[in-house]
Every structure is written in C-alpha cells, then in structure tokens.
Amino acid sequence: MQLTLWTYEGPPHIGAMRIATAMKGLHYVLHAPQGDTYADLLFTMIERRDARPPVTYTTFQARDLGADTAAIFQDAVAQAYERFRPEAMIVGASCTAELIQDDPGGLARALELPIPVIPLELPAYQKKENWGASETFYRLVRALAGGTLTPRDGRRPLCNVLGPTALGFRHRDDLVEITKILGALGIDVNVIAPLGATPADLGRLGVADFNVILYPEIARAAGLHLQKTFGQAMVETVPIGVQATIRFVEEVAAVAGVDPAPVLAGAPSRLPWYSRSVDSTYLTDKRVFIFGDATHALAAARVAATELGFKVVGLGTYTREFAREVRAEAALHGIEATITDDYLDVEAAIQAAQPELVLGTQMERHIAKRLGLPCAVISAPIHVQDFPARHSPQMGFEGANVLFDTWVHPLMMGLEEHLLGMFREDSEFHGAAAPSHLPRHGVEAPVAVEAAPAPASVDPILVTWATDAEKELKKIPFFVRGKARANTERFARERALPLITVETLYDAKAHFGR
C-alpha cells in the first residue's frame, strides 16, 4: 500500500456497498470502526440518491478493542434484521476491521436468522473496489440463483441483463438504451441485476435463455457461473460506439435466434455522418490519450481510432484484472499500455505522449486542466457533474451520439481558442484596434501586441532564452510561434540545456522537422 492524494478505486467493501445499494431487499452489515462510515456520501452526495445505502455499521471504537467486538457485530446484525426485515443479508468487514479477524460470516450464521446470510471475504489489502463488486455479485448469484429454463414453444426469447450497479458511470442511462434494443429485437428481459433487483429476482436467473454482460468488471464472474450451472450463453460484446452496437445486435440476435435486420436498418446514430462531415476534418488524426476502467477504456480506443479518425497515442487502465486485454488493444495501436493505479504515473504518461485530447476519469480531468489540454470524462471514478439529470447514455446508438458530442466539443472549443490566439496580433483584431465598422479618422495606428509567453512548465529543469534567440523566435509566424517555443523548450530540457540560444532554436527545428 502507499499513501496517495487521489485513488481510482476504494477498498473492496465499497464495491460490495455498490451492489447492496443497487439492489432492493438486500442489507449489508459491515463490521467497521468509527471513521469507516464515510462511504454513504458516495451515494447521497455524488450520485444524488434520495435514500442512504442499505448498510449498517458496527462503528466500534478504540476502547471497544479490549472488549468483545464479536458481540458488537452480532448485536448489529440482529438489530439490522429486526429493523429492516430484508429478504437477504450480506456481512463482511472493512479494511480496518479485517485486522481484528472477528469472522463476520461465522458470527452471523450463529444467529440462525430466517433469511439467507451471505458472508463476504474481501481481502482489503490485496484487492480493490471493482473486484469487491464482482465478488459480491458472484457470491449473491451463487447463493441465490435458481429457476428452470422452460421450452420455447413459441414464446419470445428471454435474457438477463447483468452488470449495472450503483455509482456506475451512466449505468442508469445505458440500461434504457439496451432494453430498448432488446425489445426491438423481440427479446424479453427476465432480470436486470444488480441494479433494481431483489434477492427473489436473483432466484429467477436460471429461467432465462442467455445473459447479456454489460460491464465485465462487475458481471463476468457471475455470468460464467450461470453459464456453467444453467448452460446459459453469454453475450459479452460491450455496445459502446456504432460498430460495437452493431456487433452486439448481431450477437444477441444469433444467440436468441431472431432477425437483426429491422433494428440495424433503423440505426439512428448520427456519429458516422458527423465524423465524415466538413467540420470533423479538423479532428482527423488528433492525438488522444485514454485511461479508465477496462470496459470504457477499451471501447473508447476502438471508437476513437475507427469511428472518429483519432490517433490513439496512450491507452491504460487501473483495472489490473483486465490488464491482458488492455495490453493487447494497445499493441494494435503500436503503443505500450499504462497499467497503474497511481495518478502520478498517468500524468507522466500523458506528458510523454503529448496528446491533443485526454479521455479519462475525473483524475485525468484535473491533470488535463493543469496541462492545458482538452478533456472528456469516459469512466469512473467520477464526480457529481457526471450524474446528469438528462438522459446521457454511453451505450447503444444514442450513446454513440453522446460520445461524439462529449469528445468532439472540447476539441472544437480548443480550436476556437486557437483562432482567437492566432488573430491576437492581427492589425484589425488585436486588443487595441478600433471597431472595424467605425470610421478610422483620428484613430491611431494599431500597435502589434506580442503574444503572451507560454506558461512555465512544471519540469524541474528550468530553461531561459537568450536575447538573440528571443528575437529570432519573433521572426516565426505568430500562429505557429507558440508551438515552436514549446518544442524548443522541450528539446532543451531533454538535453539539459539551461540556456536557449539561436543555435538551440534551429537545432530543435531540425530535430522536430525530421
């Protein structure tokens, strides 16, 4: 472990809490000391839920460590059952309580409650939040899933949709799009889980013909269990982007034995046409750096490269369980994947890649702001502004429209700022110029205004410009002068040159001109 200012994922009990909060009729008793109860804010403040999570904390204190903390836990479980009367309960320990080894599962079983009680063993010092959510959902499915598949006999195909959770990035909106597509294909949805499901709903999972896995980090383990136990097929294509949505429709149709043509014929996304439109020619080959959870990072890389014409110069994830898939995708773009949960490593990778657009989490949003780069958020961890009141999916054909707007608009704003800067010294448009529609009699000749120097880099190697080099720099056309300055300073830093001379300026020009 290491101390850090920011973290991409919380401990695994936060993942368990996301499952419990997503479901109905399920209660989570968490053995945790006073101070580990901050997680409520994730849901009530960031996700803006109108009810607190269904979680009971033992909240033992330091003085309790010399007494019987096991009894405190059993009392909390009994009181939670009497107060909430859930259909099922999950029990576990927070990262701190794990150290005292009270065995929440055994203590809860000793109470012999008349409901299913599923113990969670979440190693807080080896695993993180997404793994905790996946393990919790798997344990629930393994303990509660049941039902028998009935013969088709003319009935419509039936599927389960697995993966959406509380605090998920646009999960609520993605479900609207996916259920709409499934309905248009003539497929009924049996259970959506964990979001909105009850323990009784999990008991009906085996009735479905197949499972749709929307977020593999959360639902792949549960899907594999259902495949092994009930023989249900899994659809794992993540429908983010037009091409992936088409593949998703075709795969679902093949599994369900239905015709995809009516749905594909009416594919309503504007992304393909917009990406070929005149305005988008300004975006071709823009360098993009992508970082996030594996599901969204992989999808973003494919959409960026094949649907918007961007050049992927950086790709990474903090989800180490999917590092192999991310490395394979990065290799297709001729780059090495960034697999890390340290935001400082990500910042260094962004600086090295020199992208023109960053697609990432709220951490990358802060990093990009410091570096003066356009940015769009594509993945958790996210903040309150990424839970909009409007419908804003990432999946399906409408999700592709949202992707185009979300990714392209920061670049267009960057283009606008570039044009303002480019014409800053123009004789008609500079700050001291009189309005062009007024007569010029008596108006003094405009004075050219030198563009402000670029902000100093955070690089520890400080460089200064010799006077003659500054004069030579001013001979470069103003609309590319900023880039020339930045490239020259980068060239000097890489070679540990503290003073930029005229020779340095032209050496840098030759170097970057190759």
Side-chain angles (χ1 to χ4, degrees), residues 113-133:
L113 297 178
I115 59 171
V117 178
I118 296 96
L120 302 177
E121 295 183 7
L122 307 177
Y125 299 96
Q126 289 83 39
K127 299 293 185 178
K128 293 291 185 72
E129 178 182 325
N130 276 337
W131 183 90

Side-chain angles (χ1 to χ4, degrees), residues 435-455:
S436 59
H437 62 285
L438 297 179
R440 294 185 173 274
H441 302 296
V443 177
E444 294 183 2
V447 178
V449 180
E450 171 61 32

Side-chain angles (χ1 to χ4, degrees), residues 18 107 150 208 254-255 258 305 339 369:
R18 288 175 57 188
L107 293 171
T150 58
V255 171
V258 298
I339 310 297
K369 185 176 181 180

Side-chain angles (χ1 to χ4, degrees), residues 383-399:
H383 215 328
V384 62
Q385 64 264 46
D386 297 307
F387 289 95
R390 69 185 184 281
H391 182 59
S392 186
Q394 301 291 284
M395 293 185 175
F397 295 114
E398 181 59 27

